[in-house]
Amino acid sequence: MQNEELFRKVVSHAKEYGFVFPSSEIYDGLSAVYDYGQNGIELKRNIREYWWKSMVQLHQNIAGIDSAIFMHPKIWKASGHVDGFNDPMIDNKDSKKRYRADVLLEDHQEKLREKIQKEVDKAAKRFGDSFDEAMFRQTNPKLAEMSAAIDHIDQTLKGALESGELDRIRQLIEELGIVCPISGTRNWTEVRQFNLMYSTQMSAIENGEDNLYLRPETAQGIFVNFLNVQKTGRMKIPFGIAQTGKAFRNEIVARQFIIRMKEFEQMEMQYFCRPGTELEWYTYWKESRMRWHLALGTDPAKYRYHDHLKLAHYANAAVDIEFEFPFGFKEVEGIHSRTDFDLGRHEQFSGKKLRYFDPETNESYVPYVVETSIGLDRMFLVTLCNAYREEQVEGDVRTVLNFHPALAPVKAAILPLTKKDGLPELAEKIFEELKWDHHVYYEEKDTIGKRYRRMDAIGTPFCITVDHESLENGDVTLRHRDTMLQERVKIAALPELIGKACSMRSLLEASKD
Ligand code: GAP
């Protein structure tokens, strides 16, 4: 299956089976905003629980909080978001559409890369086994020209953003002949910086003095509570504070479904440590977070690290964990060594000391911070893309989501073979027993085959079929989602069997070193 086609299928499957719906759909939707349906919310809750338990429950020195979305406006001045959280935007005067200028250039680079690849593939076909790709790339003048154009775009963009000479970006867009995908014209406005934060007012009076921002990240709620948690929890350095919650960004270029949304959820942890030890902790968290991802059984080739070569001025190390989506590798999580920048700035802007007295060194200092920051919605999409399978079964296509059982929205379906002879009553009894510990589902409509397929499509690891023999022998048929193998199992053994297979504990154990 072509990657584009695969992604299209994942998106329509997510809608058809109650995972993700476009927001406000009956009003024609709201761009880059999505709702989670009955199965999506369960999957999302399970991913969040996996993260929360792995951070807060398994680490005695990590505490969880839930700070408010509304925060004092000075926080965003201190964090640098008011002045620096911008995207360079350009409008097309004919279509009246607004674009991110850097994305227009990146898309152009991508087209050049595709052209290069096409030339390489053509030559490989022509020359067969004797083809030396590296040599071809180096010596072919057409390829060299396109590679130089890609580098030129990188350099001009970087230089213009650093110096603030935004007109150079517009000139480059014009030079390259980039047209608006809607109007097809090159009638561009100048490039302007556009802040990504949404603002609102605290009171009903619109005088601009009490402007609030919807938080663009959850991290600042952690920094401003650093001393509250340290003191009330009697935390000793190194220690962490974790939180999950909504963040809001006015993303103009919202693409690829729930990858880039205007309202999304983050799971962030700030680890406060002694200055000078931050790079050790950075390495620790870099490895630890990758283990968390791989414990889900994902092929390691689907993940990679992307070390940042160009660091933000306050960071001394940064890496992204990227996943190979059907449309290519994209960041899912960032690990950043942020030095004492954030706490230092909050000291400066609030006038309050944010220091830690270290009893081991008898010193008082502003701790250094290593941050791990993952998008819950992106992780949701990783889980969905990774789980989606189409298999040929007896001349038919079976669509199955092979989620890790601990993440599956529904753990087991209880299905009476027929609607009579006391089978529904026994099935309901099993449902009543299992529901206390697991999200289980009871269904008696349609043939058993159709019911199995529906459960495969939402990734339910087990189907429990109650038949006439069940009444006599006290056993049921247990069908396994991935192998489709069926076995007879005593009803009394079901709670332990399902509990073990779907336990978060085994997943958490696999994520530890
Ligand atoms: N506190 C650091 C921070 O917010 P970030 O790289 O801007 O760093 C962290 O965001 C993670 O949040 C990303 O790796 C991504 O998974 C997720 N994320 C960021 N913007 C997003 C958006 N518009 N839609 C969905 N997820 C987003």
Side-chain angles (χ1 to χ4, degrees):
M1 205 187 312
Q2 287 291 307
N3 284 347
E4 225 168 81
E5 191 193 348
L6 169 67
F7 189 56
R8 203 178 35 74
K9 285 189 172 180
V10 169
V11 174
S12 68
H13 190 86
K15 177 160 185 239
E16 195 179 338
Y17 286 92
F19 285 89
V20 181
F21 305 127
S23 161
S24 322
E25 201 184 3
I26 58 168
Y27 291 94
D28 298 331
L30 191 61
S31 156
V33 186
Y34 291 89
D35 296 338
Y36 286 84
Q38 66 278 21
N39 292 315
I41 186 60
E42 295 293 337
L43 177 61
K44 197 176 174 198
R45 283 179 61 235
N46 293 337
I47 298 171
R48 193 192 294 111
E49 187 187 342
Y50 174 39
W51 183 88
W52 187 264
K53 288 195 164 170
S54 116
M55 284 293 177
V56 179
Q57 193 167 309
L58 295 191
H59 293 93
Q60 240 195 317
N61 68 341
I62 299 183
I65 62 163
D66 182 20
S67 70
I69 288 173
F70 288 156
M71 294 166 78
H72 196 287
K74 264 196 188 170
I75 287 174
W76 304 110
K77 201 76 194 143
S79 68
H81 284 84
V82 170
D83 298 318
F85 197 48
N86 299 318
D87 278 339
M89 308 303 303
I90 191 167
D91 293 18
N92 182 271
K93 291 182 196 162
D94 297 321
S95 67
K96 312 267 183 278
K97 282 272 167 203
R98 178 164 292 174
Y99 299 92
R100 260 179 69 178
D102 55 335
V103 172
L104 283 181
L105 290 170
E106 279 164 19
D107 285 351
H108 188 78
Q109 285 179 311
E110 201 47 45
K111 279 191 194 138
L112 290 175
R113 284 193 197 99
E114 279 167 17
K115 274 191 191 159
I116 293 175
Q117 193 55 48
K118 257 194 194 149
E119 292 294 326
V120 171
D121 293 345
K122 248 178 24 201
K125 231 181 183 174
R126 195 158 11 108
F127 294 115
D129 287 345
S130 63
F131 181 58
D132 181 341
E133 184 178 327
M135 181 65 83
F136 182 73
R137 280 179 185 271
Q138 269 171 24
T139 52
N140 184 293
K142 219 163 139 190
L143 263 56
E145 198 183 306
M146 287 194 273
S147 297
I150 292 173
D151 292 345
H152 175 62
I153 293 173
D154 272 340
Q155 281 155 15
T156 311
L157 190 58
K158 188 168 166 266
L161 289 175
E162 277 172 6
S163 65
E165 292 169 80
L166 299 180
D167 209 41
R168 280 170 64 194
I169 300 179
R170 176 198 147 122
Q171 278 164 16
L172 186 60
I173 288 174
E174 283 176 350
E175 266 165 45
L176 294 168
I178 295 175
V179 297
C180 163
I182 309 281
S183 67
T185 70
R186 299 176 198 176
N187 197 5
W188 296 110
T189 61
E190 75 274 25
V191 175
R192 276 164 301 161
Q193 288 288 18
F194 181 87
N195 195 286
L196 270 74
M197 285 195 294
Y198 285 104
S199 61
T200 183
Q201 285 86 37
M202 189 79 191
S203 68
I205 310 151
E206 281 191 40
N207 59 7
E209 278 170 20
D210 58 356
N211 263 3
L212 286 185
Y213 296 103
L214 295 188
R215 66 181 180 199
E217 61 170 17
T218 60
Q220 299 304 323
I222 295 180
F223 291 123
V224 297
N225 278 296
F226 156 72
L227 265 194
N228 284 337
V229 175
Q230 192 272 319
K231 286 197 168 137
T232 55
R234 302 197 330 276
M235 312 293 278
K236 286 209 173 63
I237 262 177
F239 74 90
I241 304 179
Q243 93 162 318
T244 71
K246 290 271 177 141
F248 304 84
R249 294 183 189 177
N250 196 354
E251 304 276 9
I252 298 294
V253 183
R255 287 192 296 194
Q256 283 140 352
F257 193 39
I258 54 174
I259 273 274
R260 198 169 293 288
M261 304 156 89
K262 297 192 178 212
E263 174 182 341
F264 58 102
E265 193 166 337
Q266 289 186 316
M267 307 192 286
E268 299 198 293
M269 193 276 299
Q270 313 292 325
Y271 202 70
F272 301 92
C273 59
R274 190 178 292 159
T277 63
E278 74 279 5
L279 292 180
E280 268 166 58
W281 288 115
Y282 168 77
T283 308
Y284 169 85
W285 283 110
K286 181 175 166 178
E287 289 167 4
S288 167
R289 293 304 303 147
M290 186 60 102
R291 273 198 302 277
W292 183 90
H293 286 272
L294 294 180
L296 287 164
T298 315
D299 174 2
K302 291 231 153 222
Y303 273 107
R304 73 179 184 197
Y305 288 119
H306 174 245
D307 287 296
H308 290 207
L309 298 177
K310 189 179 159 285
L311 294 170
H313 60 96
Y314 51 82
N316 61 7
V319 65
D320 293 336
I321 293 180
E322 295 184 339
F323 175 79
E324 189 177 19
F325 291 96
F327 43 82
F329 275 96
K330 281 272 170 324
E331 172 193 344
V332 181
E333 173 156 10
I335 295 117
H336 314 120
S337 175
R338 301 179 64 105
T339 66
D340 58 356
F341 173 78
D342 302 272
L343 290 180
R345 292 276 290 186
H346 286 305
E347 266 205 343
Q348 195 188 327
F349 278 73
S350 68
K352 308 274 171 8
K353 288 255 173 284
L354 293 175
R355 299 194 172 222
Y356 172 78
F357 177 74
D358 194 328
E360 285 178 33
T361 60
N362 263 336
E363 273 177 317
S364 184
Y365 53 76
V366 177
Y368 271 38
V369 170
V370 175
E371 164 184 80
T372 73
S373 174
I374 173 170
L376 177 51
D377 311 87
R378 271 194 207 175
M379 190 57 208
F380 182 99
L381 192 56
V382 167
T383 314
L384 208 57
C385 290
N386 212 21
Y388 187 89
R389 303 268 181 289
E390 284 182 10
E391 296 170 357
Q392 288 293 331
V393 179
E394 292 158 10
D396 197 11
V397 179
R398 167 175 104 117
T399 306
V400 57
L401 296 177
N402 73 345
F403 297 131
H404 188 290
L407 298 190
V410 177
K411 306 302 183 199
I414 300 111
L415 316 169
L417 192 59
T418 63
K419 284 193 219 169
K420 48 186 194 218
D421 304 333
L423 301 189
E425 287 76 5
L426 179 55
E428 271 175 32
K429 221 169 127 198
I430 297 173
F431 172 83
E432 287 299 322
E433 171 58 30
L434 292 176
K435 78 174 186 190
W436 297 100
D437 293 311
H438 305 289
H439 187 212
V440 286
Y441 184 76
Y442 173 90
E443 196 180 32
E444 52 183 38
K445 263 190 248 108
D446 286 331
T447 64
I448 198 73
K450 276 193 182 153
R451 283 181 273 169
Y452 283 162
R453 286 287 187 274
R454 277 203 290 271
M455 287 299 119
D456 289 342
I458 63 163
T460 304
F462 298 107
C463 285
I464 297 162
T465 308
V466 177
D467 55 22
H468 292 90
E469 270 178 50
S470 309
L471 298 174
E472 285 163 31
N473 304 336
D475 57 10
V476 287
T477 297
L478 186 75
R479 174 189 179 267
H480 297 256
R481 175 196 65 198
D482 298 339
T483 57
M484 289 184 286
L485 288 178
Q486 303 188 4
E487 56 175 332
R488 283 311 272 190
V489 169
K490 288 284 172 212
I491 292 171
L494 286 172
E496 199 192 332
L497 199 150
I498 291 169
K500 225 172 169 182
C502 300
S503 97
M504 194 59 87
R505 179 184 173 136
S506 55
L507 179 55
L508 287 165
E509 278 173 351
S511 73
K512 291 286 130 201
D513 46 7

